[in-house]
Structures are given as structure tokens and as C-alpha cells.
Amino acid sequence: MDSRAFVAIGANLGDARATVLRAMDDLDRLPRTRVSARSSLYRSAPVDAGGPDFINAVVALQTGLDPHALLAELQRLEAGAGRERPYRNAPRTLDLDLLRHGDAVLETPQLSLPHPRLAERAFVLLPLAEIAPEQVTSQQLAQVADQRIERL
């Protein structure tokens, strides 16, 4: 049975806007997966990091992949976009974060669901609220109101 999953997309190296748009299309081509909703693009300042502003978005997926299989596909797409991980929160060509996968609650070395920092980031909450308002509370939005972000 398919699950509804949410993936945050971000990039701040190279042509970040084109990379985010391409990632949306690539996610729609994953096995047993389709994109059911796409947020607008947003520009945000890096959080706990340096480098240029990020371009961000969130997509909703209907997927027959289990959480770990979906994570492996996300990491494959990141690698294909030239993602390197020289240090924590380094600037990146593509970042794909699995935010939620159905009602799954997981805590493994590879994957935590729901995403542990989901509620701390305006660049996740605003686009998520745009496509799935039931996933975000007004209190969560108020807690990130001081973070610089603009809808493009």
C-alpha cells in the first residue's frame, strides 16, 4: 500500500533554482513513487552554516517504497547532483530530507522519522504548510517567524 511522504529539497551551490526544480522531476520518476504536490520555491538564509542563500521547496509523494528504500533513493539523487559531505551543514548542491513517511516513527542510525529538526526550520515549515497545512501548527510557524525566508 502506498504511503504519503514529504521531502524537503534544498540547494545553495551552482544553479540552485534549476537543481531544486530538477529534483522535483527526479522524485516523480522514482520507482513506485509519484509527486502529488509541489510547494513554491523559497529563498532562505543558511541555518547553522555559511555560504549563499538556499533555494528550498517541499514535495508530497505517494510512494510504495518503505522509508529506508526511499532514503536510499534520495541519497542516490543527491550523489547524482554532486552532493559532498565535507562537514556538518556544509553548502550543498542538493539536499533531500525525508520529513515524514506515513505515520512511521523510526529512530535508527540511518533515519529518524519524523525528521528531528522539522519544526525548527522555516524553510521546511512554510513550504510544507503551503502543500499540507494539516502537517504544521500555527505555534510551529510562530516559533520560526524570526528566520529570514521569502517565497519566490
Side-chain angles (χ1 to χ4, degrees):
M1 178 160 118
D2 281 1
S3 294
R4 188 172 188 212
F6 295 95
V7 175
I9 306 169
N12 74 334
L13 293 177
D15 187 343
R17 179 187 215 116
T19 299
V20 170
L21 292 171
R22 185 171 44 256
M24 289 179 169
D25 292 338
D26 291 344
L27 289 165
D28 199 42
R29 289 190 284 271
L30 293 180
R32 300 171 46 212
T33 300
R34 68 177 178 82
V35 172
S36 57
R38 299 172 185 231
S39 76
S40 302
L41 298 182
Y42 291 78
R43 176 180 289 116
S44 66
V47 176
D48 300 330
D53 283 354
F54 275 86
I55 302 298
N56 301 99
V58 170
V59 296
L61 304 176
Q62 287 300 126
T63 185
L65 299 175
D66 70 50
H68 284 94
L70 182 55
L71 177 66
E73 290 290 340
L74 299 181
Q75 291 173 338
R76 184 183 61 76
L77 291 175
E78 288 177 339
R83 169 80 188 261
E84 297 177 357
R85 300 170 191 268
Y87 54 90
R88 184 172 168 78
N89 295 327
R92 54 206 68 166
T93 54
L94 180 62
D95 187 28
L96 298 171
D97 285 336
L98 183 54
L99 303 175
R100 294 187 181 278
H101 190 291
D103 295 327
V105 176
L106 286 174
E107 190 64 47
T108 71
Q110 299 79 29
L111 181 60
S112 297
L113 287 174
H115 191 287
R117 291 174 302 286
L118 184 154
E120 300 171 13
R121 311 286 202 231
F123 65 79
V124 171
L125 290 176
L126 270 68
L128 180 59
E130 179 187 333
I131 62 169
E134 75 284 356
Q135 296 287 325
V136 180
T137 67
S138 56
Q139 180 182 1
Q140 287 173 321
L141 291 172
Q143 289 175 334
V144 299
D146 62 334
Q147 294 179 24
R148 183 171 64 79
I149 183 169
E150 69 174 303
R151 187 172 170 178
L152 300 179

